[in-house]
Amino acid sequence: MNFDWTEFWKYLFQPTNVYLHGLWLTLSLSVVSQSLGTLIGVAAALGTQSRFRAIRALVAFYTWLMRGTPLLVQIVFIYTALAAGGIFRFEDIDLGFVVIPGNIQAAIVALSLNEGAYMTEIIRAGILSVEHGQTEAAKSLGMTYFKYMRRIILPQAVRVIVPPLGNEFNAMLKNTTLVSVIGVPELLLATQMITSATFRVFELYTVVALYYLTLTTLWGFVQSWLERRFGEPSRGIAQNPGLIDSLRKMFTREPVR
Amino acid sequence: MSGDILQAIGGVSPETKDKVVEAVGVDKYFGAHQVLKGVSLTVKRGEVVVIVGPSGSGKTTFIRCINHLEKIQKGRILVNGHLIGYRERNGRLIEDSERNIARQRREIGMVFQRFNLFPHLTALANIIEAPIQVRGVPKAEATETARALLARVGLADKANSYPAQLSGGQQQRVAIARALAMRPSLMLFDEATSALDPEMIGEVLEVMKELAREGMTMIAVTHEMGFAREVADRVVMMDEGRIIEDTDPNQFFTAPASERSKAFLARILR
């Protein structure tokens, strides 16, 4: 077997700046796109219940389109095809302290739009899981739609939304690799750049796999904490265990309370 | 449980109109099925009206129309002199805006069969939610009122409990306090004790009776004939979507006018 352990350990524990920058991009793209995707999902989920047929049709078209085409195609379409067709070109944005390159903007747009379609269904299911009596009680107290959605229905829907949301973020961490095709130097592209100079393909892809595994594993801990925190709202949020407490109990295999 | 529940919200509503509810010729359909057939009912300030009748007679649907949880197809319902759920344009009724309907509902407290407390909020938070969010009452003031209300319904020590930690009877008392915190001029009770275990019915009825004695205007759909006998000013009997009898409790229980009322009483008082 041709495996250079020295190279392997070096890249695993002393990653270069290119690699660290890739890690940062992977994480920030995931968090930003998941957040935006969730916001899109909330808006679109409410749209599915609109009394205006045009809004319902628009949401149905959006989810059909985004779930029916490959994410990789969407990414290339939004960044490359739109520019080639002379429709829209993502230009670098200079915020003064930082420049956001066009391809990163396109990556965020594509990942968020794609994620939003999946979140729409998840959030819709969450809203529908809340008993209708809750809406009636809120209405009878004089609350209007947006008020009772925000204060009464969505907080209860969270219980149903959080577990699949956790899975979505796990997928998001890995799906960010796809934006390497439009030149966003996230972890995978960083790995490719290093291998093209060093030819240590076996070692570096083992390292990058371990990095993703670490990210998803750490997220798994956060996810089970989130599920505990929001899992049983009737028990009360204030009485639920903190993150550190949950982690400790997770390893001691004791059920939390 | 101490008396003077309404003192916690500054006494009965200052509303001065004599007629709190005025329903005229209300028709209501679920699809092709007509559940209300020309229902008319007037409730004066301070009156306690109990609506009875066999299941499917339309009594629950009717009180749900009074705060526009159900639309009506014909007739009109006025609360404190204002048309509920609709406004009139060129002699026709069109559904009112969501904002206006919500504003009218502030004046109408409703207690549900299944309590419908907000499970993610404590008893106290359930009560202060609408006063703060809807009426814009400062939190400290809302909290003070809520604590007073909880004390008066005998749950001073349950302020920080979540609904799941309360018994059915306790939940329903919190639900009554929650509705009262909006300082309504009318309270609707939709079979408020029907989902309760027998030993918990009494504690909820006590609160309802106390409210009745203190002058709250109430419409209660209930099977509790003891409640009707004790505090109702009028008993309204519904059957097949119509009001077939509207009389004082004494008359109703001793000498019901119609055969159907007699048959209903015979079944329920067995």
Side-chain angles (χ1 to χ4, degrees):
Chain A
M1 188 176 73
N2 180 11
F3 193 88
D4 187 333
W5 284 97
T6 322
E7 283 289 299
F8 170 75
W9 292 121
K10 192 182 91 190
Y11 278 106
L12 188 63
F13 290 118
Q14 297 168 301
T16 59
N17 282 338
V18 171
Y19 207 77
L20 284 177
H21 182 63
L23 178 64
W24 157 247
L25 273 179
T26 290
L27 277 174
S28 51
L29 277 176
S30 299
V31 170
V32 170
S33 304
Q34 187 66 51
S35 306
L36 290 175
T38 305
L39 289 179
I40 294 170
V42 171
L46 297 181
T48 62
Q49 301 185 326
S50 171
R51 59 196 157 105
F52 300 109
R53 182 183 299 214
I55 293 179
R56 294 199 305 269
L58 189 70
V59 172
F61 175 76
Y62 160 67
T63 54
W64 171 74
L65 186 68
M66 301 315 276
R67 301 202 305 175
T69 53
L71 175 54
L72 186 54
V73 172
Q74 292 165 16
I75 291 165
V76 177
F77 191 92
I78 286 173
Y79 184 61
T80 317
L82 287 185
I87 295 170
F88 187 79
R89 187 181 298 278
F90 285 90
E91 306 283 0
D92 297 358
I93 296 177
D94 191 348
L95 294 176
F97 59 99
V98 65
V99 177
I100 303 177
N103 59 352
I104 290 186
Q105 297 163 41
I108 290 171
V109 169
L111 290 170
S112 305
L113 282 177
N114 180 271
E115 184 55 31
Y118 290 93
M119 286 308 296
T120 300
E121 269 310 300
I122 290 169
I123 290 167
R124 196 176 88 94
I127 290 172
L128 292 180
S129 76
V130 179
E131 239 188 286
H132 188 59
Q134 295 290 308
T135 305
E136 294 198 333
K139 278 183 178 176
S140 78
L141 290 164
M143 292 192 176
T144 49
Y145 179 79
F146 284 105
K147 193 146 269 175
Y148 67 73
M149 268 297 157
R150 187 169 61 83
R151 302 282 311 177
I152 307 298
I153 308 301
L154 286 174
Q156 293 183 59
V158 164
R159 186 171 48 97
V160 173
I161 292 170
V162 160
L165 173 69
N167 295 340
E168 286 297 306
F169 188 68
N170 176 298
M172 176 66 83
L173 283 167
K174 296 172 293 186
N175 281 345
T176 52
T177 51
L178 295 173
V179 302
S180 59
V181 297
I182 55 169
V184 176
E186 43 64 67
L187 264 185
L188 179 64
L189 188 56
T191 302
Q192 284 170 359
M193 291 190 296
I194 297 165
T195 52
S196 64
T198 64
F199 302 107
R200 306 259 40 128
V201 179
F202 192 8
E203 294 81 356
L204 275 154
Y205 273 83
T206 309
V207 168
V208 80
L210 285 173
Y211 265 74
Y212 280 111
L213 205 50
T214 308
L215 289 181
T216 51
T217 304
L218 287 176
W219 172 250
F221 294 143
V222 177
Q223 191 182 350
S224 51
W225 172 72
L226 282 174
E227 284 176 24
R228 239 168 295 211
R229 171 92 159 55
F230 294 107
E232 287 170 68
S234 54
R235 188 204 273 161
I237 284 161
Q239 302 160 32
N240 276 292
L243 177 58
I244 303 299
D245 203 28
S246 299
L247 282 176
R248 202 177 59 231
K249 300 225 162 125
M250 209 176 299
F251 288 113
T252 53
R253 291 205 161 264
E254 247 174 69
V256 177
R257 290 194 318 134
Chain B
M1 190 178 317
S2 58
D4 301 331
I5 300 174
L6 291 181
Q7 234 172 48
I9 55 168
V12 286
S13 143
E15 188 71 46
T16 51
K17 287 247 175 8
D18 186 45
K19 288 176 185 167
V20 180
V21 178
E22 198 178 359
V24 185
V26 175
D27 280 4
K28 162 81 189 168
Y29 293 82
F30 284 126
H33 177 58
Q34 189 171 5
V35 280
L36 295 178
K37 300 168 184 167
V39 174
S40 298
L41 181 77
T42 301
V43 179
K44 295 208 203 76
R45 189 146 312 282
E47 256 188 329
V48 176
V49 174
V50 166
I51 303 180
V52 300
S55 64
S57 58
K59 52 197 195 304
T60 284
T61 305
F62 178 59
I63 73 163
R64 287 165 57 85
C65 291
I66 296 174
N67 66 353
H68 199 61
L69 284 180
E70 302 286 354
K71 293 177 187 183
I72 62 176
Q73 276 74 48
K74 206 175 157 197
R76 56 187 57 202
I77 299 175
L78 289 87
V79 175
N80 294 320
H82 302 289
L83 207 51
I84 274 286
Y86 300 88
R87 63 205 147 89
E88 203 158 5
R89 186 185 285 171
N90 305 329
R92 287 183 56 221
L93 295 185
I94 52 172
E95 191 162 25
D96 213 339
S97 68
E98 195 209 1
R99 184 172 294 273
N100 282 340
I101 294 169
R103 183 163 293 143
Q104 291 180 309
R105 285 186 181 131
R106 298 175 186 180
E107 313 298 324
I108 309 169
M110 186 158 202
V111 178
F112 299 86
Q113 184 177 358
R114 310 256 5 147
F115 330 135
N116 296 346
L117 287 182
F118 306 133
H120 60 304
L121 301 177
T122 62
L124 185 78
N126 262 278
I127 300 173
I128 64 175
E129 177 70 15
I132 293 173
Q133 293 295 325
V134 177
R135 285 223 193 263
V137 177
K139 190 173 180 191
E141 190 188 323
T143 306
E144 196 183 322
T145 307
R147 287 198 186 281
L149 277 167
L150 276 173
R152 307 250 156 112
V153 298
L155 295 170
D157 55 333
K158 298 292 183 191
N160 296 319
S161 301
Y162 284 86
Q165 299 166 322
L166 300 174
S167 72
Q170 291 170 334
Q171 286 189 57
Q172 194 61 303
R173 283 185 278 158
V174 173
I176 294 172
R178 177 176 71 175
L180 287 173
M182 288 297 284
R183 303 176 197 273
S185 54
L186 167 69
M187 286 285 286
L188 305 173
F189 291 85
D190 181 12
E191 306 211 20
T193 57
S194 299
L196 294 172
D197 290 337
E199 74 269 23
M200 291 169 185
I201 291 175
E203 64 195 53
V204 173
L205 283 180
E206 267 319 303
V207 173
M208 290 170 63
K209 285 177 192 168
E210 180 59 35
L211 277 177
R213 289 188 204 106
E214 290 176 25
M216 174 58 77
T217 311
M218 294 166 56
I219 303 177
V221 169
T222 182
H223 295 295
E224 294 298 327
M225 295 301 137
F227 174 78
R229 223 187 273 252
E230 214 172 308
V231 297
D233 296 301
R234 284 157 59 199
V235 175
V236 169
M237 166 88 190
M238 286 186 73
D239 192 29
E240 292 177 357
R242 291 192 176 86
I243 291 179
I244 59 169
E245 198 157 339
D246 182 349
T247 177
D248 70 277
N250 227 346
Q251 175 83 24
F252 183 73
F253 288 111
T254 54
S258 73
E259 282 308 314
R260 275 182 292 181
S261 299
K262 275 180 204 157
F264 173 73
L265 279 173
R267 256 180 291 135
I268 207 151
L269 295 176
R270 206 170 27 172

